[in-house]
């Protein structure tokens, strides 16, 4: 019987700050004209992207490789480092450990899309099926979080649940959203991130997951051994990073040494 192995991916990229505010991310549902307000400003544009992925290395090893790449770009630690994550505690712990070991200040920001998924879970618990106000509720609550009010949003959700007769511990969607916002508030300071021009979504990483893993390893009928999957991930990352030609030249040199030079070396 086959078993699944989770791939761990990391990305590094450079970006110029792009200052935005709440209206650039989620339009105010109560504003006259809806989305017909000022044109939304775009977030930071990624450049010089670098990807890595592995089904063999541990998450700690992948995070260390990400830090190695980032440190090679900023050996003096003079630039602003921002780490975008999905909120997994172990992931955050590994980033903090690497940052502390290297003496680097890193700003950790949880992907806003991941947070909105929790809001939708709570929204469906607080609204009846087909309720047309549900999107506006998510937008309002999301805007509160984007303004730096994660704790406030958690309190509002709990108050709305109480008003609806839903006690704590009785609805997973509400309980998960409230706990997530309260426990992760430290990493949900989107007001700071937007004012500083930092990215707040993991689109680059999501794209890497699709390109490195799903487009090749997750095709219909595919069955992979660990060594083969690891090799494919490494090769696809090399091509994405523009390093394949340099790697192939090194590979051919090593093959020559192994198959010819070492085998036919003359001895005195």
């Amino acid at each position: 019987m086959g078993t699944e192995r989770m791939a761990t991916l990391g990305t590094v990229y450079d970006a110029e700050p792009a200052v935005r505010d709440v209206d650039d991310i989620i339009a105010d549902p109560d504003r006259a004209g809806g989305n017909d307000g000022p044109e939304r400003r775009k977030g930071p544009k990624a450049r010089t992207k670098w990807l890595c992925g592995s089904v063999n290395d541990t998450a700690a090893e992948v995070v260390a490789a990400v830090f190695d790449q980032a440190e090679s770009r900023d050996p003096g630690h003079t630039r602003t480092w921002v780490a975008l994550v999905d909120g997994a505690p172990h992931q955050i712990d590994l980033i903090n450990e690497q940052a502390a070991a290297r003496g680097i200040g890193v700003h950790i920001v949880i992907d806003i899309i991941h947070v909105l998924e929790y809001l939708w879970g709570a929204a469906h618990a607080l609204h009846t099926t087909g309720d047309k106000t549900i999107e506006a509720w998510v937008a309002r609550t999301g805007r509160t979080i984007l303004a730096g009010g994660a704790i406030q949003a958690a309190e509002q959700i709990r108050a709305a649940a109480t008003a609806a007769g839903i006690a704590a511990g009785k609805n997973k969607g509400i309980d998960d959203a409230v706990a997530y916002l309260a426990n992760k508030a430290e990493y949900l300071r989107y007001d700071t991130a937007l004012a500083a021009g930092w990215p707040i979504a993991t689109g680059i990483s999501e794209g890497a997951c699709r390109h490195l893993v799903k487009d090749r390893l997750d095709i219909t009928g595919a069955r992979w051994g660990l060594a083969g999957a690891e090799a494919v991930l490494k090769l696809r990352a090399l091509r994405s990073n523009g390093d394949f030609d340099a790697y192939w030249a090194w590979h051919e040199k090593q093959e020559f040494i192994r198959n010819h030079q070492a085998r036919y070396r003359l001895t005195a």
Side-chain angles (χ1 to χ4, degrees):
M1 182 176 180
T3 58
E4 293 185 356
R5 185 71 171 260
M6 185 70 71
T8 305
L9 277 72
T11 64
V12 177
Y13 62 89
D14 300 308
E16 296 298 325
V19 176
R20 290 98 71 221
D21 59 27
V22 174
D23 289 331
D24 293 312
I25 311 302
I26 299 177
D28 185 350
D30 302 313
R31 181 178 58 204
N35 292 325
D36 297 331
E39 183 177 353
R40 295 187 186 184
R41 290 171 290 184
K42 296 182 179 180
K45 185 176 182 180
R47 53 184 173 81
T48 59
K49 291 183 291 185
W50 177 88
L51 314 176
C52 68
S54 178
V55 292
N56 189 46
D57 297 339
T58 64
E61 290 171 325
V62 173
V63 170
V66 167
F67 269 80
D68 287 342
Q69 172 62 206
E71 201 163 20
S72 72
R73 301 182 182 206
D74 181 30
H77 306 166
T78 60
R79 300 169 62 184
T80 300
W81 290 41
V82 179
L84 286 161
V85 299
D86 63 13
H90 182 55
Q91 184 184 55
I92 293 174
D93 289 343
L94 291 174
I95 292 171
N96 282 326
E97 289 170 8
Q98 282 290 326
R102 299 170 189 249
I104 304 168
V106 177
H107 304 278
I108 300 177
V109 179
I110 291 179
D111 173 30
I112 184 61
I113 304 301
H114 196 73
V115 177
L116 291 176
E117 291 176 356
Y118 279 89
L119 289 191
W120 277 105
H124 285 297
L126 293 170
H127 296 76
T128 59
T129 302
D131 188 340
K132 295 183 179 180
T133 68
I134 189 170
E135 290 189 14
W137 183 91
V138 171
R140 292 189 196 98
T141 311
R143 286 172 60 86
T144 298
I145 296 170
L146 286 169
I151 296 297
Q152 179 185 351
E155 293 171 348
Q156 291 173 349
I157 294 171
R158 179 57 68 199
T162 300
I166 305 173
K170 296 299 182 180
N171 184 278
K172 188 176 187 304
I174 291 172
D175 294 336
D176 286 353
V178 170
Y180 192 86
L181 293 174
N183 295 335
K184 306 294 186 184
E186 169 183 7
Y187 308 113
L188 304 178
R189 292 306 307 266
Y190 298 114
D191 52 334
T192 300
L194 293 174
W198 303 338
I200 62 171
T202 58
I204 299 298
S205 296
E206 296 299 327
C209 289
R210 182 182 65 253
H211 172 65
L212 290 185
V213 181
K214 289 187 175 297
D215 287 354
R216 186 66 182 91
L217 300 182
D218 200 31
I219 58 178
T220 302
R223 294 292 183 272
W224 296 90
L226 186 60
E230 181 74 2
V232 167
L233 276 177
K234 290 289 192 287
L235 287 173
R236 290 177 72 81
L238 283 167
R239 289 185 65 88
S240 295
N241 297 337
D243 295 330
F244 183 81
D245 290 342
Y247 160 75
W248 194 251
W250 175 87
H251 171 77
E252 289 186 322
K253 181 179 180 180
Q254 299 308 306
E255 284 294 282
F256 174 79
I257 293 172
R258 183 172 68 87
N259 292 322
H260 299 283
Q261 187 171 311
R263 180 175 297 179
Y264 302 115
R265 180 183 292 119
L266 296 177
T267 57

